[in-house]
Amino acid sequence: MKESFRGQSNLHIYFAEQYLTQLETTDKSEWGGHFHRATAESLIWQLLLAYQCHLADLLEQQPKFGLRVPAGHFNARSFTLAELPPEILELADREVHSPWLKSLVDYPFLQTVGSSPSGLIASDATRLERIELDFAECLAELKSVIARHRATLMEY
């Protein structure tokens, strides 16, 4: 079987599902909370990779637009041409207006702890201003968008 962006996207979705299951079944305090954060960020990374592979698949499946897959990290807003596939235009709009996708593509992996009153490195975890994502919602929404786009591409 030939390697494809679609297959890669499917695999990243599978890994994201595995991480979500792991998050739901492990104790948040394991490894002092680091395990939960590392697992959550691994899940986010898998969702981002699935999203990028989906974008690459859209480009590959619609050669009439003549777009190549960019090197490095990219999202739908990375494309600046006047004529883009409608799916890319939709996703670029969603990256700005849909909270789940905006939070996902703009997720800052290295979030700082903020200043503690005593100046110590450790601080109260409830005071952290981290971006919180609803992982199950992000996964479900991404799977839904991918499935809808793939069904549309079958019509071409």
Side-chain angles (χ1 to χ4, degrees), residues 8-21:
Q8 192 71 24
S9 180
N10 291 343
L11 188 58
H12 289 299
I13 291 289
Y14 170 78
F15 288 144
E17 291 170 336
Q18 299 304 304
Y19 281 122
L20 182 59
T21 299

Side-chain angles (χ1 to χ4, degrees), residues 108-156:
F109 283 93
L110 297 176
Q111 298 180 46
T112 59
V113 176
S115 60
S116 65
S118 62
L120 298 174
I121 293 173
S123 69
D124 183 5
T126 60
R127 294 185 52 230
L128 300 179
E129 295 181 16
R130 291 195 178 127
I131 293 175
E132 294 294 328
L133 294 172
D134 182 336
F135 303 119
E137 176 192 17
C138 285
L139 178 61
E141 289 284 349
L142 184 59
K143 286 173 67 173
S144 173
V145 165
I146 289 172
R148 185 170 45 81
H149 286 171
R150 287 180 181 171
T152 304
L153 288 174
M154 297 291 184
E155 296 174 4
Y156 286 115

Side-chain angles (χ1 to χ4, degrees), residues 35-92:
F35 183 83
H36 185 267
R37 182 173 178 179
T39 303
E41 290 189 347
S42 295
L43 187 156
I44 293 165
W45 186 246
Q46 292 301 320
L47 291 173
L48 283 170
L49 290 171
Y51 180 64
Q52 283 188 329
C53 289
H54 176 60
L55 289 171
D57 183 48
L58 290 172
L59 296 176
E60 191 174 77
Q61 297 297 321
Q62 298 180 6
K64 74 175 189 166
F65 290 95
L67 296 170
R68 292 180 173 262
V69 176
H73 183 73
F74 64 96
N75 56 43
R77 290 176 290 156
S78 301
F79 301 100
T80 57
L81 297 176
E83 188 178 13
L84 292 169
E87 295 85 358
I88 301 279
L89 292 172
E90 174 200 345
L91 291 172

